[in-house]
Amino acid sequence: ERFFSAYFRFEVLDKPGVLSSITNVFSKNKTSIKRLIQIPNKRKMIASIIMVTHESREKNFENCLLALMKNNFIIKKPVLIRIENT
């Protein structure tokens, strides 16, 4: 089981409660957020959420993605990029 940090990018509907729902999923899966940026597109009523996490187990990241994909506020498949220390 590998430990690493990760970069996530979500395209979501821009409505109240979405960011809270995402951070709750990460919390329940023992994944701590190091940095978070939310970029709203008011015209399209969507937002990009970019997160960098602290190190966690690969399985925790997979569980986060599986849980989040069940929500209808996710409008595109999330991006996950591993950040490994060399």
Side-chain angles (χ1 to χ4, degrees), residues 70-86:
K70 295 176 183 175
N71 292 286
N72 61 358
F73 57 75
I74 302 283
I75 58 175
K76 267 188 180 176
K77 183 178 178 186
V79 174
L80 165 65
I81 300 173
R82 289 181 183 92
I83 304 171
E84 299 198 31
N85 293 331
T86 55

Side-chain angles (χ1 to χ4, degrees), residues 34-69:
K34 189 175 190 177
R35 291 189 184 94
L36 186 139
I37 300 170
Q38 184 174 3
I39 306 166
N41 183 330
K42 298 282 187 199
R43 191 171 39 93
K44 293 184 178 181
M45 300 293 293
I46 63 172
S48 294
I49 297 175
I50 300 164
M51 297 176 7
V52 175
T53 69
H54 289 279
E55 287 189 349
S56 189
R57 296 184 189 281
E58 185 169 20
K59 188 67 175 171
N60 294 346
F61 294 133
E62 291 171 5
N63 290 339
C64 287
L65 288 176
L66 288 172
L68 287 168
M69 289 303 294

